[in-house]
């Protein structure tokens, strides 16, 4: 489990990178159902990543 918000955000960015790699292959294969799932997962990750207010009340960054 991440110890702070910055580490948690790093995990979320890693997840987005993985989705980008999978999306590249799905586009080449014209895998429409896979692309729909990738889009859904990207929205879920971005919702966590860009939420307001941040997870922690830490203002000392």
């Amino acid at each position: 489990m991440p110890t702070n918000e910055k580490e948690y955000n790093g995990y979320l960015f890693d997840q987005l990178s993985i989705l980008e790699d999978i999306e590249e292959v799905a586009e080449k294969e014209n895998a429409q159902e896979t692309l729909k799932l990738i889009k859904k997962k990207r929205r879920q990750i971005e919702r966590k990543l860009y939420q307001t207010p941040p997870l922690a009340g830490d203002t000392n960054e």
Side-chain angles (χ1 to χ4, degrees):
M1 187 74 180
T3 58
N4 59 46
E5 186 174 355
K6 194 173 206 174
E7 186 178 355
Y8 182 67
N9 286 347
Y11 290 134
L12 294 175
F13 279 118
D14 289 343
Q15 290 178 0
L16 287 174
S17 295
I18 291 168
L19 283 180
E20 289 170 356
D21 294 343
I22 296 169
E23 183 177 32
E24 184 179 324
V25 174
E27 286 175 350
K28 286 180 185 176
E29 296 178 348
N30 198 26
Q32 294 303 311
E33 291 300 314
T34 303
L35 289 169
K36 286 179 190 177
L37 180 58
I38 291 168
K39 185 177 180 180
K40 176 183 175 183
K41 290 298 177 186
R42 178 175 282 123
R43 283 192 316 263
Q44 292 171 345
I45 294 167
E46 287 176 346
R47 185 172 54 238
K48 293 175 189 176
L49 185 60
Y50 301 117
Q51 67 182 341
T52 303
L55 287 175
D58 185 20
T59 56
N60 303 344
E61 290 192 56

